[in-house]
């Protein structure tokens, strides 16, 4: 077993999942303003530190993806944030892309940037305690999109990023997110997501990536959010498994799904069914941002001094998802 494979398994095993707390300041500002909290550096830290000090960090959360601002901050107890996370038993990670920008010659699509100077930035993040990283490519679905240009260029960037991250001794999360925006069918999502993931692996292999030392972070297979033909959760699980079975090389240790705009319960229920029906060798777990934080953020915004209360809300969501990552969740557990 390589060191990278060990890190990946430490993050993903035993029903553990990932807390995606890597919202850039722009996104975090939207999240905080939606609950009437001013987005200052102190408030961003206060909310995040409340989550990172929760009880579920030991049993449920295997890794936390941080944003550049947070990895450089210290908690109230003066512990560095990566230390606070690793002391709980979870692995600190860092988002290293610098965002999705307009793709030249296909202006309705995006290319993720951040390769220039990445090797040097990675060394700094390693010294700060990070042992895994994240880079997200974004793709939209319509009749003509994602284009070959977007599929190829994002896959190429994900592979170059992964090579640099592994060179630096960290595990790259490879996140090709096919967005749920639009009126497309679940079958369109299945076809396009499969094409996107397959191209990512073609490039990862060309770039000689150790596939046992990566984590794939894909979307689930869903009908578009404006589609009139929604499918059942059971069908979501079957189509998601079909996509991954045919697109992901067997060396990959695990898949950690993004929630992508699903409600908290929907994201948990779908993950649970994926695990119940899992006919692959991949660990299937969560790497949720909104679906882990939404309720906790709402509670916190109204009870900013109630650290324990906020942590209880977060602990519950993390526990529910950890059960789902083992196919052991049921809706009646939500109210206990
Ligand atoms: C946490 O949100 C991340 C978004 O960051 P930006 O501010 O750079 O857009 C995002 O990449 C996230 O890690 C994944 O999409 C998973 O989050 P969701 O909310 O989809 O589970």
């Amino acid at each position: 077993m390589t060191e990278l494979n060990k890190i990946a398994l430490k993050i993903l095993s035993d029903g553990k999942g990932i807390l995606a707390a890597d919202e850039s300041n722009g996104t975090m500002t939207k999240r905080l303003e939606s609950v009437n909290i001013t987005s200052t550096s102190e408030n961003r830290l206060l909310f995040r530190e409340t989550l990172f000090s929760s009880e579920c960090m030991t049993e449920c959360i295997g890794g936390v993806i941080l944003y550049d601002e947070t990895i450089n901050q210290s908690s109230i107890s003066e512990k560095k944030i990566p230390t606070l996370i690793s002391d709980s038993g979870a692995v600190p990670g860092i988002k290293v892309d610098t965002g999705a920008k307009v793709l030249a010659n296909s202006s309705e699509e995006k290319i993720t940037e951040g390769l220039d100077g990445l090797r040097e930035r990675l060394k700094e993040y390693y010294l700060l305690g990070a042992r895994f990283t994240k880079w997200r490519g974004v793709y939209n679905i319509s009749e003509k999109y994602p284009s070959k240009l977007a599929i190829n260029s994002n896959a190429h960037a994900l592979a170059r990023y992964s090579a640099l991250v592994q060179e630096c001794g960290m595990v790259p999360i490879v996140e090709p997110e096919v967005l749920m925006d639009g009126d497309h069918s679940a079958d369109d999502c299945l076809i396009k997501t499969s094409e996107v993931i397959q191209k990512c692996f073609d490039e990862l292999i060309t770039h000689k990536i150790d596939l046992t030392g990566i984590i794939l972070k894909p979307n689930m297979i869903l009908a578009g959010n404006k589609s009139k033909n929604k499918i059942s959760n059971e069908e979501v699980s079957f189509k998601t498994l079909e996509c991954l079975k045919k697109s992901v090389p067997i060396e990959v240790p695990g898949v950690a799904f993004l929630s992508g705009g699903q409600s908290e319960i929907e994201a948990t229920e779908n993950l649970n069914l994926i695990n119940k029906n899992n006919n692959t060798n991949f660990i299937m777990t969560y790497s949720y941002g909104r679906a882990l934080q939404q309720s906790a953020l709402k509670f916190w915004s109204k009870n900013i001094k109630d650290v324990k209360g906020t942590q209880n809300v977060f602990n519950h969501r993390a526990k529910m998802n950890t059960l789902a990552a083992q196919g052991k969740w049921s809706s009646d557990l939500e109210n206990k």
Side-chain angles (χ1 to χ4, degrees):
M1 196 190 283
T2 63
E3 272 312 304
L4 293 177
N5 184 241
K6 271 191 212 158
I7 298 171
L9 291 176
K10 178 168 185 209
I11 297 169
L12 304 174
S13 296
D14 307 321
K16 286 188 176 178
I18 299 170
L19 167 62
D22 60 311
E23 298 87 353
S24 54
N25 287 349
T27 303
M28 198 56 189
T29 298
K30 278 190 214 147
R31 303 263 191 273
L32 290 173
E33 286 179 353
S34 76
V35 291
N36 300 316
I37 300 282
T38 313
S39 181
T40 58
S41 167
E42 291 73 30
N43 282 343
R44 292 192 287 270
L45 175 62
L46 201 61
F47 176 64
R48 286 168 164 158
E49 186 184 340
T50 304
L51 303 187
F52 305 161
S53 323
S54 302
E55 193 187 289
C56 67
M57 290 292 297
T58 306
E59 275 175 28
C60 304
I61 304 296
V64 180
I65 318 173
L66 299 169
Y67 181 58
D68 181 74
E69 176 183 66
T70 327
I71 200 170
N72 286 293
Q73 287 173 315
S74 295
S75 64
I76 293 169
S77 64
E78 287 177 11
K79 263 190 195 176
K80 291 276 181 198
I81 291 296
T83 311
L84 177 70
I85 292 168
S86 49
D87 282 356
S88 73
V91 182
I94 179 78
K95 185 232 297 287
V96 300
D97 67 64
T98 55
K101 308 285 159 58
V102 172
L103 175 62
N105 291 329
S106 187
S107 62
E108 290 176 308
E109 297 190 282
K110 300 269 176 70
I111 177 72
T112 301
E113 296 187 348
L115 289 169
D116 287 352
L118 180 58
R119 182 179 265 134
E120 289 66 38
R121 286 197 290 128
L122 290 172
K123 286 181 190 150
E124 287 168 21
Y125 287 138
Y126 188 95
L127 291 176
L128 287 170
R131 290 297 175 269
F132 76 104
T133 64
K134 193 199 89 173
W135 179 291
R136 169 170 168 257
V138 232
Y139 311 79
N140 41 309
I141 298 190
S142 70
E143 233 166 78
K144 51 181 181 168
Y145 299 136
S147 65
K148 287 266 179 275
L149 178 60
I151 293 175
N152 293 350
S153 48
N154 276 297
H156 181 80
L158 277 161
R160 284 188 58 200
Y161 140 82
S162 298
L164 288 165
V165 171
Q166 289 195 335
E167 178 189 272
C168 202
M170 295 188 279
V171 169
I173 292 190
V174 174
E175 180 180 6
E177 176 174 8
V178 179
L179 298 170
M180 63 147 84
D181 305 345
D183 59 5
H184 53 270
S185 67
D187 282 329
D188 286 337
C189 179
L190 172 61
I191 292 165
K192 310 261 175 161
T193 303
S194 305
E195 192 182 348
V196 162
I197 295 178
Q198 283 165 20
K199 185 63 196 171
C200 285
F201 281 106
D202 285 353
E203 287 288 337
L204 290 172
I205 291 165
T206 303
H207 287 253
K208 303 187 167 57
I209 303 306
D210 169 9
L211 296 181
T212 68
I214 71 155
I215 295 169
L216 178 69
K217 175 164 173 169
N219 49 287
M220 294 178 190
I221 304 300
L222 306 165
N225 55 6
K226 295 198 187 95
S227 165
K228 292 197 181 82
N229 302 311
K230 292 277 182 316
I231 59 169
S232 68
N233 295 324
E234 193 83 36
E235 284 174 291
V236 169
S237 74
F238 288 130
K239 286 186 197 293
T240 302
L241 287 163
E242 180 188 338
C243 169
L244 297 173
K245 206 166 182 181
K246 70 180 176 206
S247 310
V248 184
I250 50 168
E251 293 88 344
V252 173
V255 170
F257 293 98
L258 58 94
S259 58
Q262 298 179 70
S263 72
E264 289 180 340
I265 301 288
E266 201 182 350
T268 304
E269 183 160 8
N270 284 334
L271 178 64
N272 188 56
L273 287 168
I274 288 170
N275 277 290
K276 277 197 153 166
N277 297 323
N278 191 0
N279 54 357
T280 73
N281 289 322
F282 307 124
I283 296 172
M284 301 279 188
T285 187
Y286 56 95
S287 175
Y288 293 162
R290 286 162 286 180
L292 269 176
Q293 298 182 62
Q294 237 157 38
S295 296
L297 181 64
K298 261 192 208 153
F299 183 94
W300 176 77
S301 69
K302 296 200 186 86
N303 311 272
I304 217 154
K305 293 214 171 98
D306 188 356
V307 172
K308 273 273 161 282
T310 306
Q311 291 179 336
N312 286 343
V313 178
F314 175 56
N315 284 333
H316 176 71
R317 227 32 283 133
K319 276 181 198 152
M320 292 299 104
N321 283 307
T322 281
L323 286 170
Q326 301 164 91
K328 292 181 182 163
W329 174 87
S330 69
S331 59
D332 45 316
L333 294 171
E334 286 291 340
N335 306 317
K336 278 188 184 157

